[in-house]
Amino acid sequence: MNQQFFSTPVSLRQTAVTDDFWNRAIELVRKEVIPYQWDAINDRVPGAAPSWCMRNFRVAAHLMRDKRQKGAAFVPPSYTFRGFEALPEDPAHPEEDRFYGFVFQDTDFSKWIEAVGYSLARHPDPELEKIADEAIDLVCAAQTEDGYLDTYYIINGMDAALTNLRDHHELYCLGHLIEGAVAYYQGTGKDKLLKAACGFADYIADRFGPEEGKCHGYPGHEIAEMALVRLYEVTGEERYLNLSRYFIDQRGQEPNYFIQEERDRAARAGQVLRRPSTDPAYHQAHKPVREQDEAVGHAVRAVYLYSGMADAARLTGDKALFEACSRLWDNIVRKKLYVTGGIGGTHVGEAFSYAYDLPNDTAYSETCAAIGLVFFARRMLQISPESRYADVMEQALYNTVLAGMALDGKSFFYVNPLSVVPEACERDKRLQHVKHVRQKWFGCACCPPNIARLASSVAQYAWTESEDILYTHLYLGGFVEKRFGDQTLKLDIASRFPWDGHVVATIHAEQPVNGTLAFRVPGWTDDARVSSDKERRDRSGYVYLTGRWQDGDTVVLDFPMPIRMLTADPRVREDIGKVAFTRGPITFCAEEADNGANLHLLRVDRTRLELPGEGLSIKPQTTFGHHTLALTLPGLRQPLPEEGALYHPFAVPDEEQVTITLIPYYAWANRGPGEMSVFIRI
Amino acid sequence: MNQQFFSTPVSLRQTAVTDDFWNRAIELVRKEVIPYQWDAINDRVPGAAPSWCMRNFRVAAHLMRDKRQKGAAFVPPSYTFRGFEALPEDPAHPEEDRFYGFVFQDTDFSKWIEAVGYSLARHPDPELEKIADEAIDLVCAAQTEDGYLDTYYIINGMDAALTNLRDHHELYCLGHLIEGAVAYYQGTGKDKLLKAACGFADYIADRFGPEEGKCHGYPGHEIAEMALVRLYEVTGEERYLNLSRYFIDQRGQEPNYFIQEERDRAARAGQVLRRPSTDPAYHQAHKPVREQDEAVGHAVRAVYLYSGMADAARLTGDKALFEACSRLWDNIVRKKLYVTGGIGGTHVGEAFSYAYDLPNDTAYSETCAAIGLVFFARRMLQISPESRYADVMEQALYNTVLAGMALDGKSFFYVNPLSVVPEACERDKRLQHVKHVRQKWFGCACCPPNIARLASSVAQYAWTESEDILYTHLYLGGFVEKRFGDQTLKLDIASRFPWDGHVVATIHAEQPVNGTLAFRVPGWTDDARVSSDKERRDRSGYVYLTGRWQDGDTVVLDFPMPIRMLTADPRVREDIGKVAFTRGPITFCAEEADNGANLHLLRVDRTRLELPGEGLSIKPQTTFGHHTLALTLPGLRQPLPEEGALYHPFAVPDEEQVTITLIPYYAWANRGPGEMSVFIRI
């Protein structure tokens, strides 16, 4: 933990992403997902599960207005009810003053406004900003006088507020509200929502802490930990950092808060709790975080927590906390990571499974968990810029995160299996969580908005900065500006990542600038070359170039991208005798559209692999509406006999020589239903 | 469907099983399981889930006695309350007059008395018979005046009787009561329970039928269909056959009875049923049985139904019904059968999965379903003696059925996976249904008593008879007596099945006897030889020997038992690139005890298989307390590297030559916890 290397993400306003690859995704989010999300949270997407989100805010705002009209002091400065349509009728004719949906439904708004904030940072859009401002007005109008802001309890009664931290997600709502408010503030300079978020954070800060009479709890679903750090970073108010630390330090202490809380709830209901239903490990609350060394429980919650821990470790110089982060990181990467960058081996609890249990067909590998892993990775990079963190960040980002969204931005995967047979998904109830076609919107809508907020802010994962170093972690094509002292350096990156490892970074500067540019050398390349006339030091997979940069200077980076045929550690039972293919950051998969059905009958033809002209090759793939590459390789296909006896004496199968075609994993399921498999037998 | 070949099981009193193999199992049941069951159904097994069964009968009998003392007519002839201990105190201090346990808890008694009946048929045991008679007295005392006998409704009130055929198992209780009563009658000649069963059957027969005002339903859990046929066969009363046929014919007719019933229940509760929860396919009620061609739904229910259908087809000459049985049989055997003779690919609904979906680790393969498949197979044999039916019957019996019971008879498997990793069973909630150690007793105690009743009556699966033919389907060592006309022929079989295919059948007869002895030629042998001086005809895998049999005549049968290395149809995704080993009727498996952990790292060394002295071989296996064989074969084991990177470039693994040892599947999990796998990579 060497503070000299600590960094923070660059401001989005200093960046632009202009390449074909990421610009496509960002524009999809801007043009398709954000408007779609807005419709969704207003229950206007035909056929999709209603969100109820904005409706709940409206109900809560009405309640608050009535209360304020009776003489209360707190009136939001610019509260207006303009711009909100009449409540859409819904089939069940809900009564006006009820809360609908999940307890965390408020976060649908927070996630949307966060993506909006990022988008507006680079793409001014007065119409969108107007809608957003009005939505913010409504949300702020729902806030109670003392700052509380969760419509579930505002509508249902505040008596029970903060009595079920384990399940009722108030602190999760707080976390997302902060994330959204900060992003909107940074994107637009407007602080109304930020003030509301501060108000809610203050409300919580006043009520939580080690002092007697205060609540000794912490979030059931983590995110507030990292959000509060962000709020501290933007406001400079130490109480937010302290609250984050309190949540982190308190988690997993004995007696277990969630069990105690469950007992108290039972007692209030006049019951005695015999067997608590709490599984502390599900919430990463089975032991103090500094003692944890295995990633367990709900995968999204886990990586959100670890992200907050890393943030706190960086800002407080807490070495023990960083070491816990390192151990947990290593545990994930060495024992619980899919080759697609996904995490969460089991749908039971949407959780990490045990070490090396990485089933392909029943995988959970939630999109949000991969996103959380990206969060965690960037925070580890902020503390310790090591290529191994960026490698995993890139792997998650280019594969599972992007696979979560259709290429037209109109449908989404929550679960990202590595092997799919449509008949199995439809007929096997054990695979109920696995969809082979992306879905429009989920009642529990975390993944689509999470993709939106991450894609819109991807530049903040590509570049971080310290006072005198600009780090390039990902090779997005675009630019970033960085102030070194009084001077501004603009780093213009020409890249055709992820298809080509040749990158040219050109420096623009009105005046020569002294500083260090650090470039990551990806772990997947063996023969990296970096050409520059500046002083070079290498450290942990980063090349540090230090010197006096002049306008027109270039750094030429060459990261050859051989096709890699990978096997999993043989402890991964599911993958024994199988291989997966990657090239650069991209993991590939076989689809039925290219290879016919019954992908399990295919295997790699090892003998032909080494023959001249027969081995692995790449070819442009043009059917996905943007430039991609496909891989081809020599394969063998076992023929299907006539149906007959189920078991028969073994005979070496008379396999047919075929060419196996693989496409990028992120692009699967865009050509109609069909089988898919990342791992192929060898 | 050639009635000339129809047969019925021989009476157990005509048989003895004396060989090491089956006699061991039968004696285990007699000495261990039956006494244990009796303790279990009286809630006297420490640490086991209470059955509540006899307690419920006692409560019901008290209620009935009180009612009768108030002037009712029906008093069971020899009712006595002697012999029943005071109610054991239980931790929850249940009130005296309540029903406890599952709605079908009465069947714990019925299954027990059935095994007792079979056992007494060959092994007189006055003490056991006394206990049984007293238990029967109690059960009969619980019967209502009009014959109804299900303690759930007797105790809870008869108003709701027969209003939930789908779930409340009254007709299942009827079926098991009949099976138990018939077995006890046939084993002891005592008819008290048989009369009670007839009384309950009459009660149902009076209330079900096509006439208006009668109930048009049928069992939610099948078994009554075959039980009623058995009752018809023992009493000659056609109304029982007719009731069975009514249940069979009515099943799956539109409008669906279970949905209608569900709607009626809702209506009685003043509700309107929006979406029925009934899944007709789960109950095999999705279409009329004669139109069914795929085995679906709960596997035990399905094969119980098909058994009843086959019985009814045989007795009524109903060709369409037999054809449905044939189609369903073929569907199971060709698409849904494990190589262990197990059925039921999914724990969701304890059900058949879709065609070729036969996962090894998440298999359900319930012991009871394999037992039901044995029932179905014998009934198909009774109609059409074809070796292919007996092959499957034998496969189920020698593998999954026997695996259901520990070698000491003291613990049981409900679920019979083909691949087990203890850590996975313990840590993976998707495998919650899979135990890697046999359990003592189940609250839902179907499997242990089902093994008991089948093992005790196994001779009735070995031998069936028509007027002039005695069929030998299974080569148990022992004897069977058969009357041909006025003469009795005793067939004495010396067999070391399943380890040796050399069988000598010796005829004993005081006078020469004219008749036909039919011997099955197993499908797993290629070079069967049958030596006899009688006239020989071959038909469907049976050798028919006809002539004048004299005392001392012998038939010598030789069924060579090569080790067979089998592969599954490549449509079975789980087994691609893998093989399983069988020899004679026995399926083998690898256990950790012989091969170390990480069985997935093993594969068959194909090249060494063909080298002299290196190939497959058998060796005696003595650690299981009775004679068994192990197989050995040349294998390769992939080494486990140090833990490190989860994915790395593929290199041909440097496998170590090892000898793989396989033991009979039925004997697995008798040497402490460890991994097991039936299929091995090749």
Side-chain angles (χ1 to χ4, degrees), chain A residues 159-175:
Chain A
D159 292 351
L162 303 177
T163 60
N164 189 349
L165 299 183
R166 190 191 69 181
D167 305 323
H168 277 190
H169 284 51
E170 288 154 288
L171 301 178
Y172 174 75
C173 290
L174 167 68

Side-chain angles (χ1 to χ4, degrees), chain B residues 112 191 219 350 393 456 520 569 575 578 587 605 645 654-655:
Chain B
W112 173 75
D191 67 358
E350 307 183 312
M393 180 168 83
S456 312
R520 160 182 166 245
D569 184 294
D575 296 336
K578 295 177 188 167
T587 301
D605 187 349
D654 187 16
E655 292 166 309

Side-chain angles (χ1 to χ4, degrees), chain B residues 413-439:
Chain B
F413 278 136
Y414 198 110
V415 163
N416 295 281
L418 278 77
S419 162
V420 152
V421 175
E423 184 187 14
C425 295
E426 283 157 15
R427 300 203 50 181
D428 185 347
K429 286 181 186 146
R430 291 163 300 192
L431 291 173
Q432 249 173 344
H433 62 290
V434 180
K435 307 295 175 212
H436 61 90
V437 174
R438 289 182 183 80
Q439 310 289 298

Side-chain angles (χ1 to χ4, degrees), chain B residues 55-260:
Chain B
R55 184 190 185 285
N56 288 333
F57 278 115
R58 205 170 309 128
V59 171
H62 271 298
L63 289 173
M64 291 314 298
R65 187 183 52 182
D66 292 350
K67 206 170 163 192
R68 283 179 197 120
Q69 284 172 347
K70 286 182 194 141
F74 181 97
V75 177
S78 62
Y79 172 66
T80 158
F81 213 66
R82 279 178 306 117
F84 292 94
E85 295 151 88
L87 185 71
E89 277 193 1
D90 75 270
H93 298 290
E95 293 144 51
E96 176 61 23
D97 59 349
R98 280 184 55 195
F99 177 93
Y100 286 92
F102 289 99
V103 288
F104 49 85
Q105 214 74 57
D106 288 4
T107 62
D108 284 5
F109 160 77
S110 301
K111 291 162 187 167
W112 173 75
I113 200 75
E114 186 179 344
V116 169
Y118 298 138
S119 186
L120 292 177
R122 287 301 316 167
H123 285 275
D125 179 339
E127 200 179 334
L128 176 62
E129 193 166 331
K130 181 163 172 284
I131 292 172
D133 285 340
E134 287 173 357
I136 288 169
D137 289 342
L138 176 62
V139 167
C140 292
Q143 190 165 32
T144 69
E145 294 160 42
D146 46 7
Y148 183 89
L149 185 40
D150 181 326
T151 64
Y152 178 79
Y153 285 105
I154 292 172
I155 294 172
N156 290 327
M158 289 291 296
D159 292 351
L162 303 177
T163 60
N164 189 350
L165 299 182
R166 190 190 68 181
D167 305 323
H168 277 192
H169 283 50
E170 288 154 291
L171 301 179
Y172 174 75
C173 290
L174 168 68
H176 267 298
L177 181 66
I178 293 171
E179 295 275 356
V182 171
Y184 197 74
Y185 169 69
Q186 291 178 330
T188 63
K190 293 180 178 171
D191 67 358
K192 179 170 181 178
L193 191 64
L194 186 69
K195 283 182 177 161
C198 288
F200 192 12
D202 293 338
Y203 177 97
I204 297 298
D206 287 348
R207 285 163 177 78
F208 283 71
E211 299 86 355
E212 209 171 324
K214 287 196 172 181
C215 178
H216 305 322
Y218 41 87
H221 190 315
E222 300 93 326
I223 186 177
E225 296 82 353
M226 61 173 153
L228 285 162
V229 167
R230 213 171 158 195
L231 194 58
Y232 159 69
E233 292 188 298
V234 77
T235 63
E237 295 286 351
E238 287 217 358
R239 65 179 176 280
Y240 302 135
L241 177 60
N242 292 339
L243 180 59
S244 170
R245 286 228 24 173
Y246 181 73
F247 286 158
I248 290 167
D249 292 345
Q250 191 59 15
R251 180 170 294 271
Q253 301 292 348
E254 288 296 331
N256 186 281
Y257 180 80
F258 294 138
I259 294 175
Q260 191 55 48

Side-chain angles (χ1 to χ4, degrees), chain B residues 559-603:
Chain B
F559 304 128
M561 290 182 173
I563 300 171
R564 303 173 81 213
M565 184 164 83
L566 300 179
T567 55
D569 184 294
R571 289 170 183 85
V572 182
R573 286 168 200 276
E574 291 274 333
D575 296 336
I576 196 83
K578 295 177 188 167
V579 287
F581 294 84
T582 65
R583 182 177 176 277
I586 296 291
T587 301
F588 286 80
C589 67
E591 268 203 317
E592 183 175 334
D594 301 303
N595 302 287
N598 291 305
L599 296 176
H600 70 289
L601 299 177
L602 291 176
R603 64 186 183 104

Side-chain angles (χ1 to χ4, degrees), chain A residues 337 569-571 600 641 646-647, chain B residues 337 569-571 600 641 646-647:
Chain A
L337 181 68
D569 183 294
R571 291 170 183 84
H600 70 289
L646 195 45
Y647 303 99
Chain B
L337 180 68
D569 184 294
R571 289 170 183 85
H600 70 289
L646 195 45
Y647 303 99

Side-chain angles (χ1 to χ4, degrees), chain A residues 533-573:
Chain A
D533 58 1
K534 301 295 182 290
E535 185 199 331
R536 169 173 172 161
R537 275 177 310 142
D538 285 26
R539 181 184 182 273
S540 305
Y542 279 74
V543 174
Y544 291 76
L545 301 172
T546 305
R548 188 170 174 79
W549 300 93
Q550 315 241 13
D551 193 57
D553 274 356
T554 59
V555 179
V556 178
L557 305 119
D558 264 301
F559 305 126
M561 290 181 173
I563 300 172
R564 302 172 82 213
M565 185 165 81
L566 301 179
T567 55
D569 183 294
R571 291 170 183 84
V572 182
R573 287 168 200 277

